[in-house]
Amino acid sequence: MAATDGIGINQGKAAIFDLDGTLLDSMGVWDQVDIDFLSRRGIEVPDDYMTKVAAMQFRQIAEYTIARFGLRDTPEELMEEWDNMARVMYSTVVEAKPFAREYLRRLRDGGARLAVATSLPPALREPALQHVGIFEYFDAIVSVDDAGDVGKDRPDVYLLAASRLGIPPEDCTVFEDLLVGMRSAKSVGMKVWAMHDDSSDLDWSEICELADGVMFDFHDAPQRL
């Protein structure tokens, strides 16, 4: 990114960011929550579990987990337990991906509108954004909960973010680490830049074919949307 970015370079454009694994170096948090949660019940995490739940909405994950492992907990009890475990980590341990703050500042200076589109509930997303010092950069923050509990396998949450920003989908660029989310965003005419995260390794070759650009940190992110 050049130091001579001009005011207005991204006027009329929007950038929509995923949180886990994209803006936040946080996927390890959920891995640890999964390990600790199932360990309390004497269960080892199956190899395919994290991949299966990656794009699900929070309640869907709870229902799937109960069904898969035959747990006696209610979805509400699971979600509360996960919330309590994760809230501490999101508000104290999680960090931003390298150069994320600098990149958000450049986009704002260039006139772009910024939004978050995440699967995280408000109780987790806002403490994390505050903790890493990027909360104030966003014009809109939405989650799948706000989009009728529809997961990222459909584009609803990205369209909701665009609507809140007042920017048409074709002028939006989505930053994601999950293939299923990238497909949804592309299906409604949005550009997609893929952030590499360990959780996306198995899909990386397909991600590289689908995305408009790929990056390993925000130093490689596009200066013009």
Side-chain angles (χ1 to χ4, degrees):
M1 292 177 290
T4 55
D5 290 353
I7 298 297
I9 188 174
N10 286 311
Q11 201 72 40
K13 301 289 186 178
I16 300 172
F17 294 88
D18 169 59
L19 285 183
D20 276 334
T22 301
L23 273 178
L24 301 178
D25 189 7
S26 57
M27 295 308 282
V29 167
W30 286 109
D31 292 350
Q32 194 60 50
V33 167
D34 290 339
I35 291 167
D36 292 346
F37 170 81
L38 290 175
S39 177
R40 292 175 181 178
R41 291 154 174 81
I43 302 169
E44 288 190 18
V45 181
D47 292 340
D48 66 334
Y49 175 76
M50 294 171 186
T51 302
K52 290 276 190 184
V53 303
M56 291 182 186
Q57 189 267 343
F58 212 43
R59 172 173 283 276
Q60 289 177 317
I61 298 174
E63 292 170 348
Y64 173 80
T65 302
I66 289 168
R68 176 157 184 178
F69 300 110
L71 303 181
R72 295 182 178 180
D73 310 75
T74 66
E76 288 75 18
E77 288 170 341
L78 257 66
M79 290 188 289
E80 183 179 1
E81 186 172 346
W82 289 337
D83 269 345
N84 291 336
M85 295 170 72
R87 190 178 295 113
V88 174
M89 299 186 77
Y90 272 92
S91 60
T92 60
V93 176
V94 166
E95 294 299 336
K97 285 288 183 90
F99 305 105
R101 280 183 290 270
E102 296 86 343
Y103 184 59
L104 293 171
R105 191 178 305 121
R106 285 181 183 274
L107 288 180
R108 286 299 298 266
D109 289 348
R113 302 271 289 164
L114 306 183
V116 164
T118 179
S119 297
L120 285 179
L124 298 181
R125 73 193 188 206
E126 291 176 15
L129 290 168
Q130 295 280 8
H131 170 63
V132 302
I134 58 177
F135 180 80
E136 69 276 8
Y137 288 112
F138 295 100
D139 302 292
I141 299 174
V142 299
S143 68
V144 293
D145 305 79
D146 303 310
D149 288 339
V150 175
K152 285 189 171 182
D153 54 326
R154 287 162 54 188
D156 300 47
V157 70
Y158 305 110
L159 291 171
L160 177 60
S163 175
R164 296 250 177 117
L165 295 177
I167 303 293
E170 61 269 22
D171 290 323
C172 295
T173 300
V174 169
F175 294 83
E176 258 287 358
D177 68 305
L178 288 178
L179 176 60
V180 65
M182 297 176 203
R183 285 175 176 154
S184 294
K186 293 284 282 186
S187 75
V188 290
M190 296 179 176
K191 292 181 184 176
V192 168
W193 271 71
M195 171 65 78
H196 179 271
D197 192 72
D198 290 346
S199 62
S200 60
D201 277 342
L202 292 177
D203 295 323
W204 189 242
S205 61
E206 194 171 350
I207 286 171
C208 289
E209 293 178 9
L210 176 71
D212 296 284
V214 300
M215 55 191 179
F216 287 81
D217 61 45
F218 282 99
H219 187 267
D220 302 323
Q223 59 179 311
R224 186 183 293 274
L225 298 175

